[in-house]
Amino acid sequence: MVNICCIGAGYVGGPSCAVIAYQCHDVNVTIVDLNQDRIDAWNSDSLPIYEPGLDEIVFARRGKNLFFTTDVDQAIIDADLIFVSVNTPTKKTGMGAGMAADLAYIERATRRIAQVATTSKVVIEKSTVPCRTAQSMRTILEANSNKNIRFDILSNPEFLAEGTAISDLTNPDRVLIGCLQTPEGFAAQQKLVDIYTRWIPKERVITMNLWSSELSKLAANALLAQRISSINALSAICEATGADVDEVAYACGTDSRIGPKFLKASVGFGGSCFQKDILNLVYLSEQLFLPEVAAYWKSVVTMNEYQKMRFTHRIVRTLFNTVTNKRIAMLGFAFKKDTGDTRESAAITLCSYLIQEHARIAIYDPKVSAKQIKMDLTEPGVGTNEAEVDKHVQVCQSAYEACAGADALVICTEWDEFKMQQLDYQKIYDSMQKPAFIFDGRLILDAPKLREIGFKVETIGKSI
Ligand code: NAD
Ligand code: UDX
């Protein structure tokens, strides 16, 4: 029986290793974390993250070949393969602050493996890391290995997107496995290939060298985010010219060289990965004395910030240049639909701008708690303090409650339940101040139909 340990029971470690347990009943999977509350939640009926299809998979295998524990050391000792799936956030202070990845969690986990392992291990870098991080992990591990213990290191970046994690993991476009190009490296790589090919077609499990694998992860996220910033830049031109961004995206996307995906204009991309990973690439480019390359990738983030600010300005301008004391219903707070994750959500930036304009914001999101919203809005760097949030923000239990008495409704997240078929927009209109404004930051509403009801509608990437 193969024993797998995954260090880090977060959005990646939890689902990705739960799927391994689900697909390979003869593989023992133990997911560990230092955070006792998180582990308790994984062991309860209410899992710590919301992800469609995750409950079924965890409940099917938990206690059989899938375990969650804070006993990190024992899981390391028992494991043949160890995934390191800890967080790698942007550094907040010190060298590279605001850009470089904070590798302290990676180093701590690596040192723990080195300290407690009593047998040879394959250590798998699952977290997204700067190119050549595996080298540092290897140095730490090798400094602690003896002739009886070997550590082989692999890079196996994760490409799941939140909200679709289970289908992405079950049926991925590809799995990357990078290794050192040595006989031992290839042998370690084969062990992981043998796990994934249990349910993924062989041709989709791509093997390559360690550094290419590490860089491919940053590159893929940068390219995806770049497409969104590109369509968002075009959305500004559409608004000024009368072109329709959905039509432009369709026209461009039908070119098979461009393709239709990731061309949906929006209020701005969010999530824990895109901004962090691009900034990481920017930092790497600067470190390599490639300032033009750094500036090129930085512009993707700059455009995203601009898009969020542009949308807020449009709200304020349309509401007769003042939102002071106006009630603004914000539908959606998560960074995308089908997740409760709010990290880097555009909604946070929007709220912060609107609070500074003295608006009253009524927020409803089906999967984000009031506690989380308040925590996000009072984080250092957001620009709003607890007193301001208490005064200006109300968290509501339904879209109807948020919209009652509102001057404007803003769609921040594209949840299906906000679509025209799901919400009674006539009822919402009747309950709002007049004129009643709608700002569609996700292009999910039918503007002509809303205008028939009486709404004044403003949509990203459209002038009418
Ligand atoms: P997360 O913050 O949800 O989870 C990380 C977990 O690791 C936390 O629960 C933390 O307590 C735990 N941890 C940290 N140090 C530890 C240690 N020494 N021992 C045990 N546990 C420890 O983060 P995440 O979203 O799962 O992301 C993890 C990595 O995967 C990051 O590098 C991220 O960039 C990458 N990634 C994330 C996504 C995504 O959609 N969230 C997708 C692809 C890749
Ligand atoms: C992303 C990558 O897609 C995934 O491969 C990687 O492993 C982690 O980072 P994630 O951040 O979970 O996944 O979600 P994603 O679907 O990529 O969306 C990111 C942000 O871009 C969201 O705010 C989303 O609303 C926005 N987006 C996405 C757009 O604005 N337009 C689009 O066309 C697509």
Side-chain angles (χ1 to χ4, degrees):
M1 191 129 180
V2 178
N3 282 311
I4 287 182
C5 161
C6 172
I7 304 183
Y11 285 89
V12 167
S16 62
C17 286
V19 166
I20 293 179
Y22 188 77
Q23 297 288 351
C24 314
H25 293 188
D26 56 343
V27 174
N28 248 324
V29 179
T30 305
I31 305 177
V32 300
D33 205 292
L34 299 173
N35 182 331
Q36 183 71 53
D37 290 346
R38 218 164 201 189
I39 290 298
D40 288 346
W42 279 111
N43 282 319
S44 76
D45 290 340
S46 172
L47 302 185
I49 59 179
Y50 170 71
E51 194 58 66
L54 178 65
D55 286 16
E56 289 84 332
I57 282 183
V58 171
F59 297 156
R61 300 311 308 165
R62 199 172 59 193
K64 295 182 178 130
N65 65 329
L66 175 63
F67 306 93
F68 296 92
T69 172
T70 50
D71 192 349
V72 178
D73 291 0
Q74 191 59 50
I76 291 174
I77 291 167
D78 294 342
D80 306 297
L81 289 91
I82 303 176
F83 285 96
V84 178
S85 188
V86 300
N87 36 330
T88 49
T90 305
K91 272 184 88 174
K92 290 204 169 110
T93 54
M95 242 171 73
M99 277 207 285
D102 185 347
L103 296 176
Y105 303 95
I106 291 273
E107 178 162 344
R108 184 169 170 192
T110 310
R111 284 189 183 278
R112 201 71 214 154
I113 296 170
Q115 270 161 23
V116 304
T118 51
T119 54
S120 296
K121 315 281 176 199
V122 175
V123 178
I124 306 154
E125 203 182 55
K126 179 59 109 179
S127 300
T128 305
V129 288
C131 197
R132 293 202 78 87
T133 300
Q135 179 66 49
S136 320
M137 290 172 77
R138 219 176 120 215
T139 308
I140 293 171
L141 292 169
E142 279 178 358
N144 291 278
S145 58
N146 57 46
K147 65 176 182 333
N148 301 318
I149 304 185
R150 255 197 82 74
F151 293 107
D152 285 294
I153 189 141
L154 301 176
S155 157
N156 172 223
E158 184 49 62
F159 293 98
L160 69 80
E162 288 178 30
T164 53
I166 299 305
S167 61
D168 294 342
L169 289 162
T170 308
N171 187 24
D173 287 345
R174 76 328 202 167
V175 166
L176 284 194
I177 307 178
C179 72
L180 276 186
Q181 308 291 289
T182 59
E184 296 82 4
F186 291 129
Q189 191 176 51
Q190 192 56 45
K191 288 186 186 162
L192 194 54
V193 170
D194 288 344
I195 300 276
Y196 282 121
T197 48
R198 302 275 284 275
W199 77 96
I200 298 164
K202 244 192 199 125
E203 60 280 6
R204 288 200 224 156
V205 179
I206 304 170
T207 54
M208 57 179 64
N209 85 41
L210 267 175
W211 325 122
S212 306
S213 172
E214 287 179 335
L215 186 58
S216 297
K217 174 63 200 177
L218 294 183
N221 271 356
L223 288 168
L224 288 168
Q226 182 206 41
R227 279 172 76 92
I228 303 170
S229 276
S230 298
I231 199 70
N232 283 343
L234 289 165
S235 76
I237 299 181
C238 289
E239 288 166 35
T241 56
D244 176 325
V245 75
D246 271 341
E247 292 181 351
V248 173
Y250 179 72
C252 296
T254 44
D255 184 326
S256 61
R257 294 168 303 174
I258 297 173
K261 295 182 181 166
F262 266 70
L263 285 181
K264 189 76 181 166
S266 68
V267 59
F269 62 72
S272 63
C273 293
F274 280 171
Q275 176 170 306
K276 163 176 86 71
D277 294 347
I278 292 175
L279 293 175
N280 196 332
L281 198 58
V282 171
Y283 187 67
L284 181 70
S285 309
E286 284 179 357
Q287 295 297 296
L288 297 170
F289 304 104
L290 300 167
E292 289 81 3
V293 178
Y296 175 75
W297 288 114
K298 183 80 197 293
S299 72
V300 173
V301 174
T302 307
M303 182 53 62
N304 198 48
E305 288 305 309
Y306 173 67
Q307 185 75 349
K308 292 186 268 185
M309 197 186 66
R310 214 170 60 76
F311 189 59
T312 324
H313 285 178
R314 191 168 172 191
I315 295 173
V316 176
R317 222 177 36 242
T318 309
L319 293 178
F320 315 110
N321 288 311
T322 175
V323 290
T324 300
N325 274 326
K326 287 182 181 164
R327 180 175 169 96
I328 301 193
M330 184 175 271
L331 299 194
F333 198 81
F335 81 96
K336 64 186 279 198
K337 75 169 180 176
D338 291 339
T339 177
D341 194 353
T342 57
R343 290 179 289 179
E344 303 297 338
S345 177
I348 299 173
T349 317
L350 250 67
C351 275
S352 159
Y353 285 142
L354 291 171
I355 290 172
Q356 284 160 39
E357 293 286 340
H358 310 294
R360 292 178 296 126
I361 310 169
I363 303 171
Y364 168 67
D365 187 291
K367 289 290 172 199
V368 184
S369 67
K371 189 174 157 211
Q372 183 65 47
I373 290 174
K374 296 214 162 147
M375 233 159 68
D376 288 334
L377 293 176
T378 50
E379 272 277 300
V382 170
T384 42
N385 62 38
E386 213 172 319
E388 286 170 324
V389 172
D390 285 343
K391 185 169 166 210
H392 290 275
V393 176
Q394 178 196 352
V395 179
C396 301
Q397 297 311 309
S398 71
Y400 296 115
E401 185 193 346
C403 294
D407 296 271
L409 179 171
V410 180
I411 303 279
C412 275
T413 314
E414 73 284 20
W415 283 101
D416 288 342
E417 69 172 74
F418 302 152
K419 289 186 178 159
M420 305 284 294
Q421 301 82 348
Q422 310 274 330
L423 270 188
D424 182 344
Y425 278 89
Q426 180 67 56
K427 179 174 160 185
I428 288 180
Y429 179 77
D430 293 342
S431 75
M432 287 175 67
Q433 303 285 339
K434 308 295 176 321
F437 291 91
I438 289 193
F439 297 88
D440 183 359
R442 291 293 188 164
L443 295 126
I444 58 167
L445 301 179
D446 184 337
K449 278 205 180 125
L450 291 170
R451 290 197 184 103
E452 271 172 30
I453 295 174
F455 282 107
K456 307 264 182 228
V457 187
E458 300 280 330
T459 309
I460 284 273
K462 300 187 192 213
S463 57
I464 49 158

